[in-house]
């Protein structure tokens, strides 16, 4: 009967195994979704950093543009001032040019007057040189008819001399005036040329400054528009990633809900199948007992000529045999129903054999002597709670793989790692009893083969599990 019962259980486990595999695949798919979500969140953070950089650049460009615009306003005021000064300088320039023209005209008139006087003086000088000898003067004296006539002749000569003297003096004065006006005209010309140079230089400087500012403003405006466009592009990309993340989160929740529902359905199915197998085994055991009892009764009935002593002895033997056969199957389940407790109240979390103790060892993956902070059990099979408590962790870790952590109170906690994906039967906050299955031994995370990594924590510090397991 026991053999049939075990065969039935194996058949039930084979029947349930496709569901476990499906749950494992779903868990792998869920992990891929989590990894994709993490990748999208990282990409979203990078884009946000780019947006922040663009915003800082925009802020700087905005300040620079505002500063340039203020410079343009100030420069425009300066240009207006210089334009007014240029207008005044151009008026002065025009007045100076008109003055030079007038001076030139006066100079020309003086030159003509001086030339005429010079010619007259030259003529008189030639006459004196020709006629002004002693004989002529003597003739003037001799030819005078009277003293009054002589005095009259001398007066004329004196008048001529005086007139020439005035002409000479006027000629000298006009020549000085001419030289003064020519010097004044030359000075005005020099001032005009200097003023013209200053006007042109100021005008060119202002134009150059204005052009430089215009170019700078155009450059800043162009960069501002480009940066604004880049920022908008990053924002659009961020919106796309946000939409993908939202969709992925919804899919992850749906997948989690589906896995939980599938797991509950699987557990319920396994429970019902095990109950059915147990009922079937009990029925078969009962039928076998009844058949044995009937066969014994038939055997007794055929011995009609037996003595009472032999009959009594036979009946006692049959009864004893029947009693032993019916009690044997019942003792088998109770013998294996619960593992023995240690002095600390813990039970072994797995029926597997110990493969690695607590302490420093050569790590098979990291290839270094490091602390092995727990005990390893090999073989495979179910993982049970070493003691009752509350589940505080039921998740995936790159090192431990799928693992569960249980808080037992009084500063004690236990951890069970490397479970088969999808085999976790508990969730955070759930109360579990000692010996309750919480998962199945696997090789998820950083692992070289199927095993259970078991840890004990005392006040948050990993400690040797062996004393707690009575090993």
């Amino acid at each position: 009967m026991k053999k049939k019962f075990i065969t039935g259980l194996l058949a039930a486990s084979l029947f349930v195994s496709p569901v476990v595999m499906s749950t494992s695949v779903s868990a792998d798919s869920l992990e891929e979704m989590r990894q994709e979500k993490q990748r999208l969140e990282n990409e979203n953070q990078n884009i946000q950093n780019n947006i922040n950089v663009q915003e800082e650049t925009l802020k700087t460009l905005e300040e620079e543009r505002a500063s340039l615009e203020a410079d343009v306003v100030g420069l425009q005021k300066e240009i207006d001032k210089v334009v007014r000064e240029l207008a005044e300088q151009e008026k002065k320039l025009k007045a100076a040019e008109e003055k030079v023209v007038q001076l030139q005209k006066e100079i020309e008139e003086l030159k003509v007057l001086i030339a005429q006087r010079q010619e007259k003086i030259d003529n008189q000088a030639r006459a004196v040189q020709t006629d002004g000898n002693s004989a002529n003067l003597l003739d003037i004296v001799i030819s005078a008819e009277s003293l009054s006539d002589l005095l009259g002749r001398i007066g004329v000569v004196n008048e001529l001399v005086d007139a020439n003297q005035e002409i000479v003096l006027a000629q000298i004065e006009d020549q000085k005036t001419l030289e003064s006006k020519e010097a004044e005209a030359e000075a005005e010309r020099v001032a005009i040329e200097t003023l013209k140079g200053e006007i042109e230089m100021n005008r060119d400087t202002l134009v150059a400054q204005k052009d430089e500012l215009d170019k700078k403003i155009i450059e800043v405006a162009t960069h501002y528009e480009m940066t604004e466009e880049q920022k908008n592009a990053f924002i659009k990309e961020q919106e796309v990633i946000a939409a993908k993340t939202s969709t992925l989160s919804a899919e992850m929740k749906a997948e989690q809900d589906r896995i939980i529902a599938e797991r509950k359905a699987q557990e319920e199915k396994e429970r019902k199948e095990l109950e059915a197998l147990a009922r079937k085994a009990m029925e078969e055991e009962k039928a076998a007992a009844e058949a044995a009892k009937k066969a014994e009764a038939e055997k007794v009935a055929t011995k009609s000529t037996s003595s009472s002593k032999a009959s009594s002895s036979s009946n006692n033997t049959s009864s004893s045999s029947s009693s032993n056969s019916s009690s044997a199957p019942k003792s088998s389940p109770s013998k294996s129903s619960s593992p023995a407790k240690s002095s600390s109240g813990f039970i072994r979390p797995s029926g597997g054999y110990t493969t690695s103790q607590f302490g420093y060892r050569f790590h098979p993956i990291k290839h270094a002597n490091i602390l092995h902070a727990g005990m390893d059990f090999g073989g495979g099979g179910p993982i049970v709670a070493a003691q009752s408590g509350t589940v505080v962790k039921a998740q995936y870790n790159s090192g431990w793989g799928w693992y569960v952590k249980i808080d037992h109170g009084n500063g004690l906690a236990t951890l069970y790692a490397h479970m088969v994906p999808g085999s976790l039967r508990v969730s955070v906050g759930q109360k579990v009893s000692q010996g309750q299955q919480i998962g199945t031994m696997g090789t998820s995370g950083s692992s070289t083969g199927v095993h259970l990594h078991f840890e004990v924590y005392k006040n948050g510090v990993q400690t040797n599990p062996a004393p707690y397991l009575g090993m």
Side-chain angles (χ1 to χ4, degrees):
M1 294 301 112
K2 183 177 180 181
K3 184 176 181 181
K4 290 183 178 179
F5 182 71
I6 294 173
T7 304
L9 289 177
L10 288 174
S13 65
L14 290 174
F15 180 75
V16 175
S17 62
V19 180
V20 176
M21 185 179 295
S22 173
T23 305
S24 174
V25 172
S26 299
D28 290 341
S29 175
L30 185 60
E31 179 59 23
E32 289 176 358
M33 288 183 183
R34 284 179 178 150
Q35 291 176 357
E36 177 63 15
K37 183 179 178 183
Q38 184 62 43
R39 187 189 67 78
L40 289 173
E41 288 176 351
N42 292 338
E43 187 174 349
N44 181 68
Q45 185 59 46
N46 291 335
I47 292 174
Q48 184 60 49
N49 292 338
N50 288 331
I51 291 175
N52 294 339
V53 170
Q54 296 301 324
E55 286 180 346
E56 287 296 324
T57 304
L58 283 172
K59 182 179 179 181
T60 302
L61 289 171
E62 184 67 33
E63 293 173 354
E64 188 175 353
R65 186 171 69 172
S67 176
L68 286 171
E69 288 176 352
D71 291 343
V72 169
V73 172
L75 181 62
Q76 190 59 51
K77 291 180 179 179
E78 189 69 23
I79 289 173
D80 293 341
K81 178 181 177 182
V82 172
V83 167
R84 289 193 297 270
E85 291 177 353
L86 287 175
E88 292 296 326
Q89 288 176 335
E90 287 175 351
K91 287 181 181 179
K92 292 179 180 179
L93 181 62
K94 186 176 180 181
E97 289 175 345
E98 291 176 352
K99 184 176 180 180
V100 168
V101 171
Q102 181 62 32
L103 286 172
Q104 192 63 42
K105 183 178 179 182
E106 292 177 358
I107 288 170
E108 293 299 327
E109 291 176 351
L110 282 172
K111 285 182 177 180
V112 171
L113 181 58
I114 290 171
Q116 290 176 351
R117 286 175 178 160
Q118 188 63 42
E119 184 179 359
K120 186 175 181 181
I121 291 171
D122 289 341
N123 291 334
Q124 289 179 353
R126 283 193 296 271
V128 170
Q129 289 175 358
T130 305
D131 300 328
N133 50 39
S134 57
N136 290 336
L137 292 174
L138 184 60
D139 288 341
I140 290 173
V141 174
I142 293 172
S143 61
E145 296 179 354
S146 61
L147 180 59
S148 58
D149 184 27
L150 177 60
L151 291 174
R153 289 175 183 264
I154 293 173
V156 171
V157 172
N158 288 335
E159 287 178 3
L160 288 173
V161 172
D162 290 338
N164 287 334
Q165 185 178 4
E166 290 177 1
I167 290 172
V168 171
L169 291 175
Q171 188 77 343
I172 292 171
E173 288 298 324
D174 287 344
Q175 188 65 37
K176 289 181 180 180
T177 302
L178 175 61
E179 292 174 357
S180 175
K181 288 186 179 295
E182 285 180 344
E184 185 178 357
E186 184 62 26
E188 288 292 338
R189 288 192 189 93
V190 173
I192 288 171
E193 293 299 325
T194 302
L195 188 57
K196 281 183 178 180
E198 291 176 355
I199 290 173
E200 291 300 324
M201 184 176 65
N202 291 338
R203 184 183 287 115
D204 292 343
T205 300
L206 286 175
V207 170
Q209 290 178 349
K210 185 69 167 59
D211 290 343
E212 185 66 25
L213 274 177
D214 289 343
K215 290 178 182 178
K216 190 73 174 179
I217 290 173
I218 292 172
E219 181 181 351
V220 171
T222 302
H223 288 170
Y224 185 90
E225 291 175 1
M226 287 178 63
T227 306
E228 185 72 29
E229 184 177 349
Q230 291 171 352
K231 175 189 170 184
N232 293 334
F234 282 131
I235 290 175
K236 288 182 180 179
E237 189 175 350
Q238 191 178 44
E239 290 173 353
V240 171
I241 290 178
K244 287 182 180 179
T245 304
S246 177
T247 302
L248 193 58
S249 296
E251 291 177 354
M252 286 177 64
K253 187 177 185 306
E255 182 68 10
Q256 286 175 333
D257 293 343
R258 188 188 69 77
I259 290 173
I260 292 172
E262 186 179 88
R263 187 179 299 155
K264 288 181 179 179
Q266 175 191 344
E267 292 173 355
E268 182 65 19
K269 184 177 180 180
E270 289 177 352
R271 185 184 64 78
K272 289 180 178 180
E273 288 175 350
L274 289 173
E275 288 178 354
L277 288 171
R279 284 195 301 270
K280 184 177 179 181
M282 290 177 66
E283 289 172 358
E284 289 177 351
E285 184 180 353
K286 183 178 179 181
E290 290 177 353
K293 185 178 180 180
K294 184 178 179 181
E296 186 64 26
E298 289 176 352
K299 184 178 180 182
V300 171
T302 58
K303 294 181 179 181
S304 57
T305 59
S306 303
S307 63
S308 58
K309 184 176 180 180
S311 177
S312 176
S313 175
S314 175
N315 286 337
N316 289 336
T317 304
S318 174
S319 177
S320 175
S321 173
S322 175
S323 176
N324 289 336
S325 64
S326 63
S327 62
K330 294 179 182 178
S331 64
S332 178
S334 63
K335 187 177 180 181
S336 60
S337 59
S338 61
K341 291 185 181 180
S342 67
S343 60
S344 63
F346 276 66
I347 64 173
R348 286 172 63 92
S350 168
Y353 50 91
T354 304
T355 59
S356 182
Q357 296 285 351
F358 179 92
Y360 281 90
R361 67 169 187 177
F362 183 78
H363 198 280
I365 296 176
K366 297 182 179 179
H367 301 290
N369 286 318
I370 61 176
L371 176 65
H372 181 236
M375 291 181 65
D376 289 348
F377 298 91
I383 301 171
V384 300
Q387 197 180 66
S388 60
T390 303
V391 177
V392 293
K393 296 284 185 181
Q395 62 190 41
Y396 181 83
N397 176 277
S398 60
W400 288 327
W402 290 98
Y403 77 99
V404 171
K405 189 174 184 180
I406 301 174
D407 182 11
H408 306 292
N410 298 322
L412 280 176
T414 53
L415 182 141
Y416 314 77
H418 306 305
M419 296 185 186
V420 172
S423 71
L424 274 66
R425 296 191 174 193
V426 294
S427 57
V428 174
Q430 181 178 341
K431 302 289 184 181
V432 295
S433 58
Q434 188 178 50
Q436 179 179 340
Q437 184 174 353
I438 59 176
T440 304
M441 291 170 65
T443 184
S444 62
S446 181
S447 169
T448 57
V450 176
H451 72 288
L452 164 64
H453 175 76
F454 177 70
E455 293 185 358
V456 175
Y457 291 80
K458 179 64 177 175
N459 296 325
V461 180
Q462 294 157 316
T463 186
N464 189 357
Y468 292 90
L469 298 179
M471 300 175 66

